[in-house]
Short mmCIF file of all heavy atoms in Angstrom, two decimals:
data_model
loop_
_atom_site.label_atom_id
_atom_site.label_comp_id
_atom_site.label_asym_id
_atom_site.label_seq_id
_atom_site.Cartn_x
_atom_site.Cartn_y
_atom_site.Cartn_z
N LEU X 12 6.31 -18.12 1.96
CA LEU X 12 5.79 -17.79 0.64
C LEU X 12 5.66 -19.07 -0.16
O LEU X 12 6.64 -19.78 -0.37
CB LEU X 12 6.72 -16.81 -0.08
CG LEU X 12 6.37 -16.46 -1.52
CD1 LEU X 12 4.98 -15.84 -1.62
CD2 LEU X 12 7.42 -15.52 -2.10
N PRO X 16 1.46 -24.36 -4.17
CA PRO X 16 1.99 -25.46 -3.36
C PRO X 16 1.34 -26.82 -3.61
O PRO X 16 1.93 -27.85 -3.28
CB PRO X 16 1.73 -25.00 -1.92
CG PRO X 16 0.57 -24.07 -2.05
CD PRO X 16 0.77 -23.37 -3.37
N SER X 19 0.74 -30.65 -8.81
CA SER X 19 1.23 -32.02 -9.01
C SER X 19 1.08 -32.92 -7.79
O SER X 19 1.66 -34.01 -7.76
CB SER X 19 2.69 -32.03 -9.49
OG SER X 19 2.80 -31.35 -10.71
N HIS X 44 -4.14 -21.29 -7.71
CA HIS X 44 -5.41 -21.39 -8.42
C HIS X 44 -6.29 -22.47 -7.79
O HIS X 44 -7.38 -22.74 -8.27
CB HIS X 44 -5.17 -21.75 -9.90
CG HIS X 44 -4.55 -20.64 -10.67
ND1 HIS X 44 -3.19 -20.50 -10.79
CD2 HIS X 44 -5.10 -19.62 -11.36
CE1 HIS X 44 -2.93 -19.44 -11.52
NE2 HIS X 44 -4.08 -18.89 -11.88
N ARG X 55 -7.25 -14.03 4.40
CA ARG X 55 -7.33 -12.77 3.67
C ARG X 55 -7.10 -13.07 2.20
O ARG X 55 -6.53 -14.10 1.85
CB ARG X 55 -6.26 -11.78 4.13
CG ARG X 55 -6.38 -11.39 5.56
CD ARG X 55 -5.34 -10.39 5.93
NE ARG X 55 -5.36 -10.19 7.37
CZ ARG X 55 -4.48 -9.46 8.01
NH1 ARG X 55 -3.53 -8.86 7.35
NH2 ARG X 55 -4.55 -9.33 9.30
N ASP X 84 -13.05 -5.87 -3.32
CA ASP X 84 -13.48 -4.87 -2.34
C ASP X 84 -13.06 -3.52 -2.85
O ASP X 84 -11.97 -3.04 -2.59
CB ASP X 84 -12.85 -5.18 -0.99
CG ASP X 84 -13.30 -4.20 0.09
OD1 ASP X 84 -14.16 -3.34 -0.17
OD2 ASP X 84 -12.76 -4.31 1.21
#
Side-chain angles (χ1 to χ4, degrees):
L12 175 59
S19 299
H44 290 90
R55 298 182 189 173
D84 182 4

